[in-house]
């Protein structure tokens, strides 16, 4: 299955006022002069903002027929309800402005995402494009670092796919051959997926880690897709995860 992905280089993530960092957004399906469709998009986003903080995720359906809008939101599994609520509100406001006049959109932050579409995407992950947002800092000794990261991601992927309804896994891994360097990783799927589909989506993203044009030789990377995300860093971006002398730690 061929899926398009795009590469973005970042030296740092730029936090917004609420503390979350905007990574990417993508708009599609232009429309003009349809007040009903625009109203349904606004109402659907309002539903997601209102409901997301309760469980860290929400779905919405507004309208009927060709004017139906399906929406979904997701917060990273380790963030507080307050941070989740703030991020979703920021995401809804920004995607409304950035993708005005579009009936399909998705926005990724470092701790949340929102998407909407006229097509019912629930339970479907195979159609779409993804983004690789990687650090401009090179990894130390890539011949050692990259295989260790791949093993870390295999473990967090298995944890996420086996996590029941949460579909979230996080872990720290200490690389002894790199003077005890700790690498932190997470994997998460949107909650409309089953465990098997979650694993398939994450496996697709994990395949971008070692390749040129993907995360290759980068010290940190965000792998973004409409139904799943993976991230690893050499600093602790998770809340809370502490590295110890153990080779792998799951939280």
């Amino acid at each position: 299955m061929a899926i398009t992905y795009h590469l973005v280089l970042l030296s740092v993530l730029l936090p917004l006022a609420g503390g979350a960092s905007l990574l990417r957004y993508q708009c599609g399906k232009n429309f003009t002069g349809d007040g009903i469709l625009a109203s349904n998009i606004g109402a659907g986003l309002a539903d997601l903002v209102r409901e997301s903080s309760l469980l860290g995720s929400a779905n919405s359906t507004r309208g009927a027929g060709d004017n139906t809008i399906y929406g979904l939101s997701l917060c990273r599994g380790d963030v507080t309800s307050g941070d989740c609520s703030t991020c979703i509100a920021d995401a809804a406001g920004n995607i409304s402005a950035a993708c005005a006049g579009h009936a399909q959109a998705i926005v990724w932050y470092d701790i949340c995402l929102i998407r909407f579409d006229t097509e019912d995407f629930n339970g479907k992950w195979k159609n779409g494009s993804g983004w690789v947002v990687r650090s401009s800092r090179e990894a130390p000794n890539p011949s050692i670092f990259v295989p260790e990261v791949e093993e870390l991601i295999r473990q967090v992927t298995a944890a996420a796919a086996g996590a029941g309804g949460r579909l979230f896994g996080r872990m720290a891994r200490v690389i002894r051959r790199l003077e005890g360097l700790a690498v932190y990783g997470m994997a998460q799927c949107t909650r409309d997926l089953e465990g098997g589909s979650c694993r398939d989506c994450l496996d697709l993203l994990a395949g971008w880690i070692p390749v040129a044009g993907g995360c290759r030789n980068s010290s940190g990377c965000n792998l973004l897709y409409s139904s799943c995300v993976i991230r690893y860093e050499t600093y602790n971006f998770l809340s809370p995860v502490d590295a110890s002398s153990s080779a792998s730690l799951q939280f």
Side-chain angles (χ1 to χ4, degrees), residues 37-211:
L37 191 56
S39 177
N40 289 338
I41 291 171
L45 289 174
D47 291 342
L48 298 177
V49 171
R50 183 176 61 254
E51 298 172 10
S52 294
S53 63
L54 298 176
L55 296 173
S57 178
N59 293 78
S60 69
T61 304
R62 286 282 184 157
D66 292 340
N67 289 314
T68 303
I69 289 291
Y70 301 91
L72 177 148
S73 62
L74 178 69
C75 289
R76 205 174 71 200
D78 62 326
V79 303
T80 66
S81 60
D83 287 343
C84 174
S85 181
T86 299
C87 186
I88 293 297
D90 286 345
N94 281 323
I95 204 65
S96 295
C99 294
H102 291 81
Q104 179 191 66
I106 184 167
V107 58
W108 295 271
Y109 285 69
D110 62 332
I111 63 170
C112 75
L113 68 83
I114 277 184
R115 66 180 297 201
F116 63 80
D117 202 333
T118 53
E119 180 180 349
D120 185 359
F121 50 75
N122 287 286
K124 306 169 187 176
W125 69 271
K126 292 184 179 180
N127 297 321
S129 62
W131 292 86
V132 177
V133 182
R134 77 183 194 193
S135 170
S136 60
R137 296 189 299 272
E138 289 293 310
N141 200 333
S143 64
I144 296 175
F145 182 83
V146 173
E148 291 280 355
V149 167
E150 290 182 292
E151 178 57 29
L152 170 66
I153 297 306
R154 275 192 289 271
Q155 293 184 42
V156 295
T157 292
R166 293 188 72 236
L167 299 178
F168 173 72
R170 56 179 174 165
M171 190 174 294
R173 184 175 180 86
V174 175
I175 306 176
R176 299 186 186 281
R177 291 189 294 164
L178 293 179
E179 300 180 349
L181 175 69
V183 185
Y184 301 84
M186 60 78 62
Q188 187 171 19
C189 295
T190 55
R191 295 179 188 172
D192 57 310
L193 299 187
E194 300 291 339
S197 295
C198 174
R199 182 61 183 260
D200 290 341
C201 188
L202 292 172
D203 283 346
L204 170 74
L205 291 188
W208 299 347
I209 290 174
V211 301

Side-chain angles (χ1 to χ4, degrees), residues 215-235:
C215 300
R216 187 176 184 178
N217 297 346
S218 177
S219 66
C221 201
N222 279 274
L223 298 153
L224 311 173
Y225 196 66
S226 53
S227 297
C228 61
V229 293
I230 286 174
R231 183 181 180 186
Y232 72 85
E233 303 285 356
T234 53
Y235 61 87

